[in-house]
Amino acid sequence: MKHTLSYIPDYPRPQLVRDGWTNLNGEWDFAFDRDGAGERRGYCRGFAPQCKITVPFAYETPASGIGDPALCENVWYMKKLALSPERGKRLLLHIEGCDYATRVWLNGKDCGAAEGCCHRLTFELTAAATAGDNVLVIGVKDSYSKAQPRGKQRWQSDDHGCWYLDATGIYKTVWLETVNAAYIDGVRITPSVTSRSVAFEATAVGARDGAVLFVAVGYGGKRVAAAEGVIADGACRLTLEIPERDLRLWNVGAAELYDAELALTDGNATDAVKSYFGMREIKIDGGRVLLNGKPLYQKLVLDQGYWRNSGLTAESGDALDADIALMTEMGFNGCRKHEKVEDERFMYYADARGYLVWCEMPSLFELTDKSKAAFRAEWAAVVRQMYNHPCIVCWVCFNESWGIEAVKTDKSVQDFVNAVYRDVKSYDGTRPVITNDGWEHTLSDILTIHHYTQDGGVLHDAFDSVEKCVAEQYAAHDRGAYADGYGYHGQPIIISEFGGTAFVRDAVGASWGYGDGVKDDDEYAARLAALVRAIDSVPFISGYCYTQLSDVYHEVNGLTDFDRTPKLAPSRIRAIIDGKE
């Protein structure tokens, strides 16, 4: 794997990198606030810790040092910081992921609040910071509410079905960043292979109109293009042409990445950031997904991003990269990140390895006016945050009608789902969007199908014609392709969940997988091969997503166990995926 020039190990925001940051992961003081009276008791100014916690792991996980799975709806974090505020500089606190309602105080001064579990939260600490010792306090409220985006987090005290340990509070990296009074706070990078160009849309905080933005693009240490423009109304757009001799396309397993440098000069101060991008285009044409104008057959694996010791949080960046490397070794060319918005470092490693990713919003399970608005706002924030990553080739809004159970017949639910679809398309017209992965689609750029038969012949016969794929009810299934009033218009067809085969030797107690468990490696390989061939042999199907990467708690249907030990030799799985066994 070849890293970009901007790469810094464990840097949490790989698409906008600058010097002047401090990782706050590690030991923090912690308190459970079971009666919710912490703020009234003055916890925001500091509190007597009940215990220590290792951030960024949720307190429910062993990796946190606490490992208490019982729900506490109010929790508090505290850390003492030695700060040296600089004149003309701002101090920002970033939390990459915190579930669900977060409020921050520095030295007892309120520095803001935010809701959400999937996107980066940023708070400005400048006005509250003092030279010397400072007390940073973070209060978090969470619950078992089904109106919050939950994904695979359970909403009761025990795991059930395919829902597992929940994550309360901080579960991704917390870090400080020092920036100028005028600074670049975001950049949207849109490549066009067709026009051999790349557009940069930068936004700036505190910059006066007329401030200068300079952008340079390089490959392999050589500058290939540069341009400058001026800030107006806090933004600047520049389009750079890539010379034909320097054009290199990002592709599956061939991660050609360009380096980018941006500099904002306002008065005597210059803010410099580094980024990167891949020249690639995703289009849909004639029932096929095209990558750079060529048909893309997607061999994906369902990846839920859970770890035994640390829940939804990878124990390290290396663990994130190791999952990609292992699945690539097994023959898969990408993953569907299921019911989770993964740590952005994962997206970096996928970018750098040429690994495809479907980015999916965690489901909510109860529709109210408030939950609809919150869902739309957070999903839009996720799309904006992840937009620049070339690895992301699809956005998935909902899964299997979870939280939108009446979508088949209820027009008001259909209208909500379509509004979410249009939200994404209005910001990102470069990627396909799937509304309801699995069945009962409304507006959708791809028709996706879930089917968990363990018989390859049954799977093949159920979907060996377009008519069967778009049926009102699938064979050996209780669902069908489209919601009432919607139909097929030539979209690509992908079997986006299948398999899920259980190993009997692992299936004890409440453990489960799909179908009758296999007895040995050869039976597992034979079943996997039959299911993969059933899909591969249908010429109009554009790919598949096998369930799943690893066992997850009581689910024993992974290609590996929960600790990522393969159940079959990776070379044997690759032979099956490649059609050689």
Side-chain angles (χ1 to χ4, degrees), residues 190-191 280-283 387 395 425 427-432:
T190 306
R280 68 104 182 91
E281 284 183 339
I282 300 293
K283 292 185 177 179
Y387 176 88
W395 304 110
K425 297 297 283 189
Y427 186 82
D428 183 5
T430 71
R431 294 177 175 94

Side-chain angles (χ1 to χ4, degrees), residues 451-463 476 498-499 501 514-516 526-535:
H451 204 298
Y452 278 106
T453 178
Q454 295 297 295
D455 187 311
V458 171
L459 184 63
H460 178 272
D461 292 347
F463 303 112
F498 78 107
T501 302
Y514 291 97
D516 295 331
R527 192 183 298 181
L528 174 61
L531 292 170
V532 170
R533 294 292 81 73
I535 300 171

Side-chain angles (χ1 to χ4, degrees), residues 24 79-83 91 106 125 130 132-136 176:
L24 297 184
K79 193 173 188 67
K80 294 180 179 178
L81 304 175
L83 299 176
L91 181 64
L106 185 66
L125 307 183
T130 62
D133 292 337
N134 293 252
V135 178
L136 176 64
L176 290 175

Side-chain angles (χ1 to χ4, degrees), residues 127 255 276 328 375 419 460 537 549:
Y276 68 90
T328 301
F375 183 95
H460 178 272
S537 62
L549 185 157

Side-chain angles (χ1 to χ4, degrees), residues 33-51:
D33 180 12
R34 301 196 184 277
D35 61 4
E39 190 167 352
R40 189 175 70 247
R41 295 187 181 110
Y43 280 19
C44 56
R45 295 185 297 275
F47 56 86
Q50 298 170 8
C51 57

Side-chain angles (χ1 to χ4, degrees), residues 500-562:
T501 302
F503 264 57
V504 165
R505 65 170 179 257
D506 297 324
V508 295
S511 297
W512 66 278
Y514 291 97
D516 295 331
V518 297
K519 298 177 179 62
D520 55 37
D521 291 359
D522 289 341
E523 185 181 352
Y524 182 82
R527 192 183 298 181
L528 174 61
L531 292 170
V532 170
R533 294 292 81 73
I535 300 171
D536 278 346
S537 62
V538 180
F540 59 82
I541 290 179
S542 293
Y544 57 75
C545 180
Y546 182 80
T547 303
Q548 61 180 319
L549 185 157
S550 75
D551 293 351
V552 181
Y553 298 108
H554 54 277
E555 278 194 56
V556 294
N557 51 13
L559 293 162
T560 76
D561 65 19
F562 206 177

Side-chain angles (χ1 to χ4, degrees), residues 210-241:
V212 176
L213 179 73
F214 175 78
V215 177
V217 168
Y219 179 85
K222 170 192 170 185
R223 180 175 292 182
V224 300
E228 70 175 37
V230 296
I231 297 292
D233 296 324
C236 179
R237 177 186 171 95
L238 294 169
T239 300
L240 284 69
E241 182 178 331

